[in-house]
């Protein structure tokens, strides 16, 4: 048998080593975390959190009242297209110096909530307690709105209609109670399941209620005009309608 020459063996070993190094270098980019991320293998953590955030449902929703040293603060939001279009304080500290503080701070806080689209807003100078209560109730309203938003906006169960009945509102001529049907985040039907009856109330009810029902569907909120000649019925209708919207969470 012919023996291999020592020099030949050295050349072959060197060639094998060089080939191995070239192979390792060609495989290195596949194991580089930056390259894998760029290829879509692992999205950044911040993007995952943002993508998983649930939108807020359309409609009107009222947050829980927040107690402060000077009185309760409660915020109501109107949401359209998944965005806050209106913010208002339905409760705020009153009496004495609180009147001045409230009249100065609340409009600014309302504007800030719409601009920020969140409860991450700055406190108004000179209204520390009111601002803190406002932000707390605002966050509560946002939480309720998110809870009411469909998890799947692509259709299916998300588009399923819901029927909600508001609390009966007592008026001088009898109770008014409103039931609404909500589908796709919008009021598709409104009806009065209770309304004043007897005597002249029959005529007032038959004239006012259909107009109020139509107005509720058009507006999508309880911010509707009273029907002329039916002031008490209109006020009771709006109160019960707001209750139904609150229950629906938007």
């Amino acid at each position: 048998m012919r023996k291999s020459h020592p020099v030949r063996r050295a050349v072959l070993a060197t060639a094998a080593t060089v080939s191995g190094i070239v192979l390792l270098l060609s495989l290195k980019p596949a194991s580089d975390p930056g390259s894998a991320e760029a290829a879509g293998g692992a999205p950044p953590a911040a993007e995952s959190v943002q993508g998983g955030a649930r939108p807020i449902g359309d409609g009107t929703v009222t947050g829980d009242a927040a107690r402060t040293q000077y009185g309760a603060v409660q915020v109501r939001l109107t949401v359209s297209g998944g965005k806050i279009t209106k913010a208002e304080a339905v409760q705020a500290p009153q009496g004495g110096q609180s009147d001045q503080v409230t009249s100065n701070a609340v409009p600014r806080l309302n504007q800030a909530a719409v601009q920020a689209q969140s409860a991450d807003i700055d406190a108004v100078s000179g209204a520390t307690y009111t601002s803190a209560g406002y932000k707390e109730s605002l966050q509560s309203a946002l939480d309720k709105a998110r809870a009411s938003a469909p998890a799947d906006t692509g259709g299916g169960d998300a588009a399923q209609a819901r029927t909600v009945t508001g609390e009966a509102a007592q008026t001088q001529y009898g109770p008014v109670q409103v039931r609404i049907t909500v589908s796709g985040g919008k009021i598709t039907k409104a009806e009065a399941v209770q309304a004043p009856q007897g005597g002249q109330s029959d005529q007032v009810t038959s004239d006012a209620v259909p107009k109020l029902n139509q107005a509720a569907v058009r507006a999508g909120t309880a911010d509707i005009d009273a029907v002329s000649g039916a002031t008490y019925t209109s006020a009771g209708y709006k109160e019960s309608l707001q209750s139904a919207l609150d229950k629906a969470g938007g």
Side-chain angles (χ1 to χ4, degrees):
M1 175 181 290
R2 187 179 180 181
K3 294 184 179 180
S4 300
H5 196 280
V7 175
R8 183 187 297 274
R9 287 200 303 271
V11 171
L12 291 175
T14 301
T17 302
V18 171
S19 298
I21 293 172
V22 171
L23 180 60
L24 287 174
L25 289 174
S26 66
L27 292 176
K28 185 177 181 180
S31 61
D32 180 30
S35 300
E37 183 179 303
E47 184 177 332
S48 298
V49 172
Q50 183 178 359
R54 191 168 183 176
I56 53 178
D58 289 354
T60 304
V61 60
T62 304
D64 294 332
R67 303 292 172 186
T68 77
Q69 184 174 333
Y70 297 99
V73 182
Q74 189 171 26
V75 179
R76 177 186 296 155
L77 299 178
T78 301
V79 181
S80 179
K83 294 185 177 181
I84 301 171
T85 57
K86 183 180 180 182
E88 55 188 325
V90 294
Q91 286 192 73
Q94 294 180 342
Q97 191 177 355
S98 292
D99 289 337
Q100 184 177 351
V101 173
T102 293
S103 63
N104 175 56
V106 166
R108 297 184 185 183
L109 293 167
N110 291 338
Q111 186 177 17
V114 175
Q115 288 175 342
Q117 295 293 308
S118 73
D120 186 15
I121 58 178
D122 293 332
V124 174
S125 178
T128 305
Y129 291 101
T130 298
S131 298
Y134 188 101
K135 292 172 68 174
E136 182 181 337
S137 183
L138 172 58
Q139 186 60 61
S140 169
L142 286 167
D143 291 343
K144 290 182 180 181
R146 285 194 178 93
S148 71
D152 179 9
T153 56
D157 293 339
Q160 204 168 20
R162 293 181 295 155
T163 302
V164 184
T165 303
E167 300 292 338
Q170 302 300 324
T171 77
Q172 184 175 332
Y173 297 99
V176 181
Q177 190 172 26
V178 179
R179 176 187 297 150
I180 58 174
T181 301
V182 181
S183 180
K186 295 182 179 180
I187 300 174
T188 57
K189 183 180 179 182
E191 55 186 326
V193 293
Q194 285 194 73
Q197 294 180 343
Q200 191 176 355
S201 293
D202 290 338
Q203 183 177 348
V204 173
T205 293
S206 63
D207 174 62
V209 166
K211 295 179 181 179
L212 292 166
N213 291 339
Q214 189 177 15
V217 173
R218 276 201 311 263
T221 72
D223 186 16
I224 58 177
D225 293 332
V227 174
S228 178
T231 305
Y232 291 102
T233 298
S234 299
Y237 187 101
K238 292 172 67 174
E239 182 181 337
S240 184
L241 173 58
Q242 185 60 60
S243 170
L245 286 166
D246 290 342
K247 288 183 178 181

